[in-house]
Amino acid sequence: MPNPSTPHLRLLVGSQHLYGPEPLREVAHNAQTVADALSAADAIPLPVTFGGVLTTSAEIRNACLDADGDPTCVGVVLWMHTFSPARMWISGLTGLRTPFVHLHTQFHRDLPWDTIDMDYMNLHQAAHGDREAGFLHTRLRLERKVIAGHWSDPTVQQRLGRWARVAHAWHELQQLKVARFGDNMRNVAVTEGDKVAAQVRLGVTVDGYGVGDLVARANEVGDGAIRDLVDAYVEAYQVAPELLPGGGRHGALLHAARVELGLRAFLDEGGYRAFTTTFEDLHGLDQLPGFAAQRLMADGYGFGAEGDWKTAALLSALKVMAGERGMGTSFMEDYTYDLGPDGPRVLGSHMLEVCPSIADERPRMEIHPLGIGGKSDPVRLVFDAKQGPAVNVSLIDLGQRFRLIVNEVDSVSHPALPKLPVARAVWTCRPDFATAAEAWIYAGGAHHSVFSYDIDAEQVEDLAAMAGVEVVVIDADTRLRTLRNELRLADLSYTLRRGLGD
């Protein structure tokens, strides 16, 4: 997908005119050095530009307006190199819409114990300059991330890099368009939601289309493009012999390729980076387009089955957040359990639509009956997910607010599944199966989720803070009594916030 802009972070540095012009020139030089170092750091995926040393309310307000007005600025990094009286920042920060992280650092890592004097002390006052800033941020009830430590520290850079991925995902979410082919699966509750509220709170636009619109676009695809795509399939996957050219089911593969090309064209022409389908509305298609969904997810598109536009939007955002780390992130569903003595384990899968970015091996392209939807046997990619720590994330609409729910899990090995021809993952839950499952259900988590090896719970919390939505984390420290009390307090908190007009 083409990206028309180069996203970046902007470093804004606070000081004041009290110190005179020469110290301010040194502050600017130091700040540029920090910005250049952060921009070059491997752990930070976005360039960091220096937005200036700010010493007056007018400068600060203009810098904040400029950040908000720049479509390539996805996040602001604030640092008070010296003492910067915080009242100067009120007009700028109260209007700032771009997410910001407060980097509590200082230019020099080590103190020059033998030579330190008051000139040095005055110039390097972040120790209390940032505390002055922090008070104001708290006083104004501003959502922000605080990262403390020297800017050259790899841990600091890694934390800033993870936050930068979240800021980039939030930026993309503000512009996200979801194409919804067909409606929600009939009578299902959790995949419904308020699209107006989603656009107000998350920036997501959801547009509905009949599946006939997809069929019409697929029918325009030329035979040459289909043949080229089939050649790419043969190169990328282990293709079942009956699907190869000359095989008895090759026609099914040609149809799958036509649908993929038509769907890609439809989405790209409309500027859509996420989509949904439903097996209850397939008129004009020979197969459930699950293989096309697998392929598109591998290229970074969001997807939700049965009309689940919230999970499609969430997957798109988390794909951006995963970035270049393999994008091991997929649509997922908790399908069934192994509760035997070697368990408990969760078998996650779907009818077809699991992203091959999470595969442990080269996927197999196969064709099998589906038994649902009333259509021809669909082509699909079959594989086992890789092992390792992961998260499951759900976005739900509680009517008066949205809630993100994240469970830390561990993808594990499992016995062979010779008669289950779908992509699948098996995992154990933290802190344990019973606690995690009960906590998920108490929190209202959906059966659809985003499963990812490439993001962590802290990043989901950061996304929730940027969006102003509630977040529930289920991890090794979760205790049900505490969690249930937190859920009750959250209900009270959001009820009071609505009453106060927040």
Side-chain angles (χ1 to χ4, degrees):
M1 291 176 294
N3 188 348
S5 62
T6 301
H8 70 274
L9 303 179
R10 185 169 301 177
L11 175 64
L12 301 181
V13 177
S15 188
Q16 58 180 333
H17 283 289
L18 178 67
Y19 307 112
E22 186 59 34
L24 288 179
R25 280 192 288 271
E26 186 173 350
V27 169
H29 176 270
N30 293 348
Q32 184 67 66
T33 300
V34 172
D36 291 344
L38 295 177
S39 191
D42 291 338
I44 300 174
L46 305 178
V48 180
T49 63
F50 175 40
V53 177
L54 308 178
T55 58
T56 68
S57 295
E59 289 177 351
I60 292 166
R61 184 171 183 275
N62 289 336
C64 291
L65 288 172
D66 187 60
D68 283 341
D70 184 348
T72 67
C73 180
V74 304
V76 169
V77 182
L78 296 185
W79 168 40
M80 305 303 121
H81 187 299
T82 68
F83 194 80
S84 179
R87 286 169 56 192
M88 296 190 304
W89 290 80
I90 292 174
S91 63
L93 292 182
T94 51
L96 182 67
R97 296 177 59 86
T98 304
F100 77 91
V101 56
H102 185 184
L103 180 60
H104 182 42
T105 190
Q106 62 186 27
F107 183 67
H108 294 295
R109 188 191 66 178
D110 304 316
L111 281 178
W113 296 98
D114 293 338
T115 60
I116 189 170
D117 56 18
M118 284 309 299
D119 288 339
Y120 183 99
M121 296 279 278
N122 286 332
L123 191 62
H124 301 282
Q125 294 191 58
H128 70 288
D130 278 331
R131 282 171 166 78
E132 164 78 354
F135 164 75
L136 182 74
H137 303 162
T138 298
R139 177 67 177 81
L140 295 177
R141 294 176 173 83
L142 299 176
E143 284 290 353
R144 80 281 193 192
K145 181 81 171 181
V146 179
I147 299 176
H150 195 258
W151 50 269
S152 68
D153 187 332
T155 299
V156 170
Q157 294 179 355
Q158 289 165 8
R159 293 187 66 201
L160 182 58
R162 290 198 299 271
W163 182 87
R165 293 184 186 279
V166 181
H168 188 194
W170 173 243
H171 181 265
E172 292 298 306
L173 199 60
Q174 301 303 290
Q175 310 163 69
L176 181 66
K177 294 173 62 179
V178 181
R180 198 176 188 220
F181 295 103
D183 199 1
N184 187 70
M185 183 178 172
R186 290 186 280 276
N187 293 319
V188 175
V190 75
T191 51
E192 289 281 15
D194 186 338
K195 302 181 192 68
V196 175
Q199 190 164 355
V200 171
R201 174 59 63 184
L202 306 174
V204 176
T205 301
V206 183
D207 295 333
Y209 292 95
V211 72
D213 295 312
L214 170 57
V215 173
R217 190 62 185 84
N219 287 339
E220 297 173 0
V221 176
D223 292 341
I226 293 173
R227 287 193 297 270
D228 290 343
L229 185 56
V230 168
D231 290 343
Y233 294 161
V234 174
E235 181 71 21
Y237 311 119
Q238 305 175 64
V239 182
E242 63 266 31
L243 291 174
L244 292 170
R249 308 301 298 276
H250 185 60
L253 184 59
L254 294 176
H255 177 77
R258 177 179 294 278
V259 172
E260 179 188 336
L261 288 167
L263 180 55
R264 282 182 184 273
F266 187 98
L267 296 175
D268 290 347
E269 290 161 7
Y272 294 100
R273 300 195 312 277
F275 68 102
T276 72
T277 61
T278 174
F279 65 85
E280 291 181 325
D281 190 356
L282 297 175
H283 183 71
L285 295 175
D286 290 345
Q287 310 169 18
L288 175 70
F291 173 65
Q294 290 183 294
R295 291 267 302 171
L296 286 161
M297 281 190 285
D299 287 340
Y301 291 80
F303 171 77
E306 291 102 44
D308 188 353
W309 56 268
K310 297 192 301 299
T311 301
L314 179 64
L315 176 57
S316 179
L318 298 195
K319 286 280 192 181
V320 174
M321 197 184 300
E324 297 177 356
R325 292 176 293 173
M327 283 180 39
T329 304
S330 177
F331 173 79
M332 187 57 70
E333 178 173 280
D334 301 63
Y335 227 103
T336 191
Y337 299 138
D338 174 23
L339 300 179
D342 295 331
R345 292 175 288 186
V346 180
L347 172 57
S349 185
H350 206 256
M351 294 181 293
L352 301 178
E353 305 98 341
V354 175
C355 179
S357 69
I358 69 170
D360 188 42
E361 58 188 11
R362 189 182 180 204
R364 302 182 304 279
M365 178 182 283
E366 302 178 3
I367 183 169
H368 300 276
L370 185 60
I372 195 169
K375 291 293 181 176
S376 301
D377 299 346
V379 175
R380 79 285 301 277
L381 295 177
V382 179
F383 56 85
D384 291 318
K386 59 188 177 183
Q387 299 177 42
V391 293
N392 253 330
V393 189
S394 175
L395 174 64
I396 62 170
D397 184 348
L398 291 174
Q400 77 278 24
R401 69 186 189 276
F402 292 98
R403 173 184 284 168
L404 278 163
I405 304 157
V406 54
N407 183 201
E408 295 182 346
V409 302
D410 293 280
S411 181
V412 297
S413 62
H414 56 84
L417 296 163
K419 294 186 177 181
L420 186 65
V422 292
R424 56 279 178 124
V426 175
W427 64 82
T428 59
C429 303
R430 301 182 193 177
D432 57 74
F433 169 78
T435 301
E438 291 169 24
W440 188 273
I441 290 171
Y442 278 126
H447 58 285
H448 290 166
S449 62
V450 175
F451 179 86
S452 178
Y453 299 93
D454 291 335
I455 63 173
D456 56 34
E458 183 181 4
Q459 289 176 296
V460 179
E461 292 179 285
D462 290 340
L463 180 63
M466 292 177 191
V469 303
E470 183 187 358
V471 62
V472 175
V473 177
I474 305 168
D475 60 12
D477 297 323
T478 296
R479 300 293 181 269
L480 276 178
R481 179 180 293 120
T482 301
L483 182 134
R484 294 187 70 185
N485 284 332
E486 290 173 351
L487 293 176
R488 294 186 186 102
L489 290 173
D491 280 336
L492 176 61
S493 171
Y494 279 86
T495 298
L496 291 173
R497 289 174 63 178
R498 288 201 315 277
L500 294 172
D502 186 359

